[in-house]
Amino acid sequence: PAQNLYALFQQAFADHLERTAIQTDTGARYSFSDLDQQSARIARWLQSIGLQRGDRAMVQVEKSVPALVFYLACLRSGVVYVPLNTAYQSAELAYFMENAEPRVFVADPSRADALRDLAAGLGVEHLVTLGADGKGSLIDAAADHGGEHAICELAPDALAAILYTSGTTGRSKGAQLTHGNLISNAQVLHTLWAWVPGDVLVHALPIFHVHGLFVAVHCALLNASTMLWMGKFQPRQALEWFPQATVFMGVPTLYVRMLQEADLSPERCAHMRLFISGSAPLLTETFKTWQERTGHTILERYGMSETLMLTSNPCRPEAGSRVAGTVGRPLPGTDLRCVDEDGKHCGAGEIGGIEVRGPNVFPGYWRMPEANAKEFTADGWFKTGDMGQIDSLGYVTIVGRSKDLIITGGYNVYPAEVESYLNDLPGVDESAVIGCPHRDFGEGVVAVVVPLPGAQLDAGQLTAAIKAQIAGFKVPKHLFIAKELPRNVMGKVQKKALRETYAHIFD
Ligand code: ATP
Ligand code: MG
């Protein structure tokens, strides 16, 4: 049956309308009734300017509760929500506007004037503003409308959002997500992660990405849980909230930053039930140190814009243990397989391309028929672009992206494997291994290594140490010591940028 995701949220909080839905780091409080009424006002404004089901509304604003309310308004009115990373500049915005053809664009007040001509030239009819303080012409316009709105009925495959991928491997692609995709994933995660009445979520992530927007917010709303809401991640604020909270979701860099706080302790985390990590690989080092410092075992899960969440380490003890370096088992209802270059299934422990199928998997990229023809198999599986292996217990390990796979002299080198050896050497904090064009070998292995604070590393010694451990063709031919790795806000290492930096190293 056709269902609107917002209707599920409304059912969940119907009996708790006066409960705190969101408490912010600036002291603002929103009840569920506030979220419901304010999203109704915006939904009615969208209706009043003639937006129809399936029309797009694009948003590039700082994180705020009214920005989240705008998302809820789009859901309830059947308008397709298209959030953008706040880092994008005008050339990128032009691509997104041209690609998605939004009728509405919500901009930060400081950028709106610069965007007005661009937006008008690309057919955007309504440019409104919304600032980090939650004020702007969007809110003014919505204030003229009443706080009641009948949730829109939808066809089963109705789009809820277009989420542009992070652009880690190339130009961002618009992943179309249906209400059905979002509903199935939210319900599965809500059950699997054992949400109970009284759970309180610390919301520390941006809301233009699948992790902060869908995974975190949907679980909390389905559970009618309070969110403690940070505009920008502050490790101190997180630690201060842990005694009143139960669930935290973060990318690995957030855990690394919290570990730098001296008073992170088991006592401080005693009220917490669950720490979840995803969006980028969690180092075993971080996993172990977190265990030592807090007594909690981080639950790592894996997913992507196109598929929402795919795998998770176990939550309940009886379901098994959380294994460092793995992303756990496929979610109930999601099929996941590893296949070799000829499409043959890999055996246990064999590395192959990860393909997936299930109610959470998107119907395809927005207006990219060639990509859709290429990225889905004839029998309907989506090729994730990640390489991995499945062990005999069904746990999945990601070994890197197929685009980052290094082929040197005909041999495959999986960057994650070489990185894990490098990371284990004394004085090494982290590393990135890439392939750079090489006349004789096609690609040559290059490593960039970040020392632990205070450690003195010697490239020659590191290379010698690694040579004693792994096959010669995997050993980096060049090894650089760097202060840090290039990362985006989601903590993803930008290997494309590293490859550009070292493109001519073997010339
Ligand atoms: P693009 O597709 O534009 O190159 P992207 O793949 O980084 O960018 P996202 O959809 O934001 O865009 O990220 C999904 C990817 O993040 C996955 O395909 C996977 O490579 C990586 N990822 C997510 N969770 C994990 C995890 N727990 N461990 C390792 N990698 C992860
Ligand atoms: Mg991707």
Side-chain angles (χ1 to χ4, degrees):
Q3 247 188 337
N4 187 314
L5 171 61
Y6 189 81
L8 261 66
F9 298 150
Q10 215 180 40
Q11 267 164 37
F13 62 64
D15 294 334
H16 315 285
L17 282 172
E18 292 320 311
R19 179 182 290 172
T20 301
I22 303 183
Q23 172 79 51
T24 74
D25 53 356
T26 54
R29 177 194 171 271
Y30 296 80
S31 65
F32 284 101
S33 154
D34 292 334
L35 296 189
D36 195 52
Q37 284 185 31
Q38 293 175 19
S39 62
R41 285 183 209 286
I42 297 179
R44 289 186 56 175
W45 170 72
L46 287 167
Q47 217 164 31
S48 76
I49 58 170
L51 258 78
Q52 308 277 327
R53 275 172 257 209
D55 284 342
R56 273 82 56 209
M58 189 172 270
V59 181
Q60 190 196 32
V61 295
E62 295 298 329
K63 180 177 175 181
S64 71
V65 177
L68 180 67
V69 169
F70 185 79
Y71 164 57
L72 300 179
C74 289
L75 287 180
R76 58 191 300 167
S77 45
V79 167
V80 182
Y81 180 72
V82 193
L84 297 179
N85 188 325
T86 43
Y88 292 141
Q89 302 294 329
S90 59
E92 291 149 327
L93 292 178
Y95 161 72
F96 292 120
M97 283 190 220
E98 236 174 324
N99 186 246
E101 294 188 305
R103 293 186 65 191
V104 170
F105 191 102
V106 187
D108 190 84
S110 68
R111 295 194 184 198
D113 287 337
L115 282 177
R116 219 166 282 283
D117 287 347
L118 178 69
L122 292 171
V124 178
E125 295 154 56
H126 306 274
L127 184 96
V128 290
T129 61
L130 179 61
D133 59 1
K135 299 197 175 101
S137 62
L138 168 68
I139 304 303
D140 298 341
D144 296 339
H145 297 274
E148 293 102 46
H149 168 263
I151 298 173
C152 173
E153 277 182 33
L154 297 169
D157 55 354
L159 289 191
I162 298 174
L163 210 57
Y164 282 93
T165 61
S166 296
T168 311
T169 57
R171 176 159 258 190
S172 293
K173 296 171 292 230
Q176 306 183 87
L177 293 159
T178 66
H179 279 255
N181 293 144
L182 297 177
I183 289 171
S184 71
N185 209 235
Q187 288 176 330
V188 164
L189 296 178
H190 182 256
T191 306
L192 193 75
W193 292 342
W195 284 76
V196 286
D199 267 332
V200 172
L201 174 78
V202 173
H203 194 292
L205 290 162
I207 55 168
F208 53 71
H209 185 264
V210 52
H211 196 169
L213 179 65
F214 297 148
V215 185
V217 166
H218 290 179
C219 282
L221 290 180
L222 267 192
N223 201 57
S225 268
T226 301
M227 290 189 256
L228 304 174
W229 180 272
M230 266 181 261
K232 285 217 159 63
F233 176 67
Q234 303 288 351
R236 283 251 36 98
Q237 179 69 76
L239 264 63
E240 266 156 45
W241 275 339
F242 285 164
Q244 336 157 31
T246 61
V247 183
F248 178 85
M249 298 189 195
V251 297
T253 37
L254 303 196
Y255 287 96
V256 171
R257 288 181 60 195
M258 290 189 286
L259 281 168
Q260 287 160 4
E261 295 293 321
D263 61 338
L264 179 74
S265 63
E267 296 72 48
R268 196 164 267 289
C269 299
H271 195 257
M272 291 293 292
R273 175 174 79 76
L274 187 57
F275 288 96
I276 299 175
S277 174
S279 300
L282 180 73
L283 294 182
T284 302
E285 180 72 23
T286 314
F287 177 94
K288 284 192 184 143
T289 319
W290 191 266
Q291 248 173 355
E292 287 157 17
R293 292 280 304 280
T294 68
H296 284 276
T297 305
I298 298 174
L299 178 157
E300 184 171 5
R301 93 298 176 282
Y302 156 66
M304 53 202 304
S305 310
E306 294 92 332
T307 64
L308 307 168
M309 297 305 100
L310 291 165
T311 72
S312 171
N313 269 280
C315 180
R316 296 180 173 90
E318 62 272 22
S321 50
R322 300 176 194 162
V323 182
T326 84
V327 294
R329 289 184 292 243
L331 301 179
T334 298
D335 300 321
L336 183 147
R337 67 187 186 191
C338 291
V339 298
D340 68 13
E341 276 117 79
D342 307 323
K344 263 202 3 258
H345 289 211
C346 295
E350 270 170 28
I351 294 174
I354 298 177
E355 297 182 350
V356 297
R357 200 174 59 174
N360 51 318
V361 175
F362 78 144
Y365 295 107
W366 172 259
R367 293 186 177 159
M368 291 185 100
E370 327 74 49
N372 290 334
K374 229 173 63 204
E375 308 301 342
F376 284 90
T377 66
D379 54 346
W381 293 67
F382 173 61
K383 304 178 192 167
T384 63
D386 291 314
M387 315 269 308
Q389 61 197 101
I390 309 174
D391 71 13
S392 55
L393 294 175
Y395 283 65
V396 178
T397 300
I398 311 289
V399 301
R401 298 167 182 262
S402 54
K403 285 190 178 165
D404 293 334
L405 174 73
I406 304 168
I407 305 180
T408 181
Y411 290 108
N412 285 355
V413 176
Y414 300 101
E417 186 195 2
V418 183
E419 287 159 8
S420 74
Y421 284 102
L422 285 169
N423 295 347
D424 283 346
L425 295 177
V428 173
D429 186 7
E430 56 173 357
S431 59
V433 169
I434 53 170
C436 296
H438 189 293
R439 216 173 296 123
D440 300 332
F441 299 112
E443 283 182 300
V445 179
V446 172
V448 182
V449 176
V450 179
L452 283 167
Q456 289 294 325
L457 292 182
D458 177 86
Q461 281 173 7
L462 290 177
T463 309
I466 202 94
K467 224 180 212 147
Q469 295 182 296
I470 55 176
F473 67 91
K474 298 179 187 172
V475 175
K477 293 187 168 43
H478 280 287
L479 190 150
F480 297 94
I481 314 284
K483 275 224 283 294
E484 59 183 12
L485 299 175
R487 284 204 148 85
N488 73 2
V489 279
M490 296 308 292
K492 292 172 191 284
V493 175
Q494 305 292 287
K495 291 204 166 172
K496 201 166 46 134
L498 281 179
R499 278 194 291 267
E500 282 160 18
T501 307
Y502 297 106
H504 300 292
I505 194 74
F506 294 113
D507 284 3

